[in-house]
Amino acid sequence: MRKLLLCTILLCAVALLASGLTAAWAMGGGGCGGGGCGGGGGDGVIDPAPGAPFADPPDLPNECMMPGMVEVTLTPRISAVNVNGVMANLMTYNGDHPGGTIRVRQGDMLSIHFRNWLPATTATNMLGFTRNITNLHTHGLHVSPEPPADDAHIAIAPGAGYDYEYDLMCQPPGSMCFYHSHSHGLVAEQHWAGLSGAIVVEDPTPALAGYETHLMILKDISLVGSEPAPHTSTMDYMHGLEGNTVMVNGRVNPVLSIRPGQVQRWRILNASNARFYKLSLEGHSLYVVGTDGGWLDRPYAQSYVVLSPGERLDVLVKANTTKKNYRLLSLPYSRMGMMTSAQITMLTMACSGAALNQRLPGQFNPAAQRIDPNSLMIADTKTFTLGMSMGRGYINGHDFDADPLMVMSTLGTYEIWDIVNQTNMDHPWHQHVNAAQVLSITGGDAAYRTLYTTTPAWKDVVIVPKGGRVRLLVPVMDWPGMTMYHCHILEHEDIGMMGMWHIMGGGMPM
């Protein structure tokens, strides 16, 4: 009893210290020493000078010449990467940071030759897991969770390999997904160190084809010397790491050129471990045309959009006629208690040159519709309650490492999932294989709530507000097998806030 009391006192002291440090960051110190943030400073504002020209991540070359087949090679390895002027030893795929973009189409067969080139080691992290064992999760692909497809239980040791195969016959066109490591207990540190990249499902719709298109991967990191800052405390896992260097495609405040009146399409991925972004473009609206699971029916004008770890957005930007620089900002956001993040300049949009007069599309995807759950036979209603205590995360009181929560579903049915958040922190909820529609959100940001409860959006990540709840309509379609659901603050997944989802049923999708 005495040991338990002492442990509780120590955890409370560490929590207060961490809260103080986070509050100091919010007030403007920011931990940007050594040029980490590229400049900026007080009053909760990080505003580095405009940096290098914007560049999209490289595309991974398709090694197969046959139509309908995409074949790529991924090799996780340690590579020297320029992080805002510091050469850092990061985990990369094929030496790229972020990883190269995989481009596919609905109906393709995707083959990924995965070879683990991380150094062999017997060292363990602070959670007790042997480092550099890894695997691959294709986050957002509606594919089989069974091997050789999106099986997140596969463990690939250094020097070993695995050939993944994904049938994209049921993948919605226009969706943007991503890939990252998913070896339990090691996910947070490997993702933090750089193991992520985008998967773009190309779309043939003429309504969006005529716009200059860019991919933006948002990622933060802190360095200790030339190494990613390690997870060293229980509170690193309880809070989730946020870095003092915030980048778009590996660059601090890159400069993206646009012409007056031009419309550009931006496909945005939050690849951070725990940082939320509240994105707003000075002097402009962001027109949302797609979410995690693909297109909406029409553009939805937003003054800002909130993006939690793992979420993706497809937006249009129409430059106004005044030639000047405009900043894409991440506005202050409170994801944890009353602590609010700093305002950060993410990129600079430089409007110059000869004017264009491009128009935004009207309704372009009438097939996108909200589903009325009252019109369906609902097979089951499930409740998932999120909790945290003593350095661990729980779903319905179950710690994944000690006693994983197992739920069963039947293929070809619809279910209602209620996710209840009993903590004082937002949690991004992610379910593998099947995207869902958001029926209701209690609490949290009003604009986020309105966007996802009124539009025909399909989501595989949704913010469950602190002290609030989310209700999802979940189609259990096409692919049987054993898969997962978890918090996408990746530290929370590693400390137990994850469960198993057994989809029962036979046969291939029709």
Side-chain angles (χ1 to χ4, degrees):
M1 186 69 182
R2 184 178 178 183
K3 288 183 178 179
L4 178 61
L5 179 59
L6 182 59
C7 181
T8 303
I9 292 171
L10 284 171
L11 279 174
C12 289
V14 172
L16 286 171
L17 177 60
S19 297
L21 290 173
T22 307
W25 163 268
M27 291 303 294
C32 292
C37 289
D43 300 322
V45 174
I46 300 170
D47 186 26
F54 177 91
D56 288 280
D59 288 350
L60 284 182
N62 183 1
E63 300 166 12
C64 183
M65 302 300 292
M66 294 178 59
M69 299 286 293
V70 175
E71 187 174 358
V72 299
T73 297
L74 282 180
T75 56
R77 65 180 84 171
I78 305 296
S79 303
V81 174
N82 187 333
V83 177
N84 201 34
V86 176
M87 293 308 296
N89 298 317
L90 302 187
M91 290 185 177
T92 70
Y93 291 113
N94 303 0
D96 295 322
H97 180 258
T101 303
I102 300 174
R103 294 188 180 273
V104 295
R105 291 184 178 274
Q106 182 186 48
D108 281 348
M109 289 294 300
L110 169 63
S111 297
I112 298 179
H113 303 300
F114 191 88
R115 304 292 180 261
N116 184 357
W117 288 3
L118 296 174
T121 180
T122 58
T124 59
N125 66 4
M126 67 169 292
L127 298 179
F129 292 85
T130 301
R131 286 196 159 108
N132 294 351
I133 294 170
T134 193
N135 63 11
L136 194 67
H137 170 44
T138 53
H139 180 138
L141 286 188
H142 180 53
V143 295
S144 172
E146 297 289 285
D150 194 43
D151 183 356
H153 306 282
I154 295 168
I156 304 170
Y162 191 84
D163 291 326
Y164 289 93
E165 297 282 343
Y166 309 93
D167 186 342
L168 304 182
M169 64 186 298
C170 300
Q171 183 66 29
S175 49
M176 177 180 169
C177 309
F178 75 116
Y179 59 90
H180 62 82
S181 58
H182 208 294
S183 186
H184 177 63
L186 303 166
V187 180
E189 64 182 41
Q190 292 183 4
H191 196 99
W192 169 253
L195 289 187
S196 62
I199 303 174
V200 172
V201 184
E202 301 284 13
D203 46 87
T205 177
L208 302 179
Y211 302 126
E212 181 178 326
T213 299
H214 296 289
L215 177 62
M216 300 177 182
I217 299 179
L218 314 183
K219 178 76 170 65
D220 60 347
I221 197 170
S222 294
L223 299 176
V224 175
S226 60
E227 305 298 323
H231 293 73
T232 59
S233 72
T234 298
M235 299 315 296
D236 284 346
Y237 280 92
M238 292 288 277
H239 286 175
L241 286 188
E242 293 189 20
N244 58 20
T245 301
V246 184
M247 300 170 286
V248 179
N249 299 343
R251 300 183 178 189
V252 171
N253 191 13
V255 178
L256 175 62
S257 296
I258 194 169
R259 293 165 63 181
Q262 182 183 4
V263 175
Q264 288 189 3
R265 183 182 180 188
W266 297 355
R267 307 180 88 164
I268 309 172
L269 157 65
N270 182 353
S272 296
N273 276 40
R275 182 181 294 278
F276 287 49
Y277 299 93
K278 184 177 179 180
L279 300 177
S280 178
L281 181 62
E282 290 177 323
H284 296 77
S285 292
L286 298 171
Y287 294 88
V288 178
V289 294
T291 59
D292 303 349
W295 301 314
L296 300 177
D297 55 335
R298 60 176 178 83
Y300 290 82
Q302 306 288 302
S303 60
Y304 66 86
V305 290
V306 178
L307 210 61
S308 70
E311 285 189 288
R312 290 89 68 205
L313 276 173
D314 199 340
V315 303
L316 299 179
V317 170
K318 181 176 172 62
N320 66 34
T321 56
T322 302
K323 298 179 181 181
K324 56 179 282 189
N325 285 351
Y326 301 90
R327 297 176 300 169
L328 177 66
L329 301 173
S330 181
L331 301 175
Y333 183 83
S334 174
R335 73 169 177 93
M336 187 165 49
M338 298 299 292
M339 294 179 288
T340 302
S341 61
Q343 176 178 294
I344 304 171
T345 300
M346 301 298 298
L347 65 76
T348 296
M349 187 179 79
C351 183
S352 63
L356 295 176
N357 187 23
Q358 289 186 302
R359 294 185 178 182
L360 293 161
Q363 186 180 50
F364 66 92
N365 182 33
Q369 296 181 353
R370 285 188 64 82
I371 300 176
D372 180 4
N374 295 316
S375 67
L376 304 171
M377 183 75 72
I378 302 298
D380 193 15
T381 298
K382 293 178 168 65
T383 300
F384 303 87
T385 301
L386 309 180
M388 301 188 78
S389 176
M390 300 298 288
R392 300 300 298 176
Y394 302 92
I395 302 179
N396 291 2
H398 291 253
D399 179 335
F400 183 82
D401 286 315
D403 178 26
L405 176 65
M406 169 78 78
V407 298
M408 307 284 188
S409 298
T410 301
L411 194 68
T413 64
Y414 288 87
E415 295 186 347
I416 301 292
W417 286 15
D418 285 313
I419 300 97
V420 181
N421 185 355
Q422 292 186 338
T423 78
N424 196 28
M425 182 189 306
D426 291 358
H427 293 284
W429 173 271
H430 170 49
Q431 73 281 344
H432 293 203
V433 180
N434 293 293
Q437 284 198 342
V438 182
L439 299 178
S440 65
I441 301 176
T442 302
D445 183 85
Y448 183 94
R449 183 169 62 246
T450 299
L451 178 65
Y452 291 121
T453 59
T454 62
T455 67
W458 288 99
K459 298 284 292 169
D460 56 61
V461 179
V462 62
I463 299 171
V464 188
K466 46 185 173 285
R469 65 192 299 151
V470 164
R471 171 163 274 210
L472 301 176
L473 175 65
V474 181
V476 188
M477 299 295 166
D478 304 319
W479 304 107
M482 186 74 73
T483 191
M484 298 174 172
Y485 48 86
H486 57 85
C487 177
H488 216 278
I489 292 175
L490 296 174
E491 287 83 0
H492 294 176
E493 172 191 335
D494 276 346
I495 60 173
M497 195 179 286
M498 180 163 67
M500 302 299 301
W501 183 16
H502 187 187
I503 302 173
M504 300 173 292
M508 293 293 292
M510 301 299 291

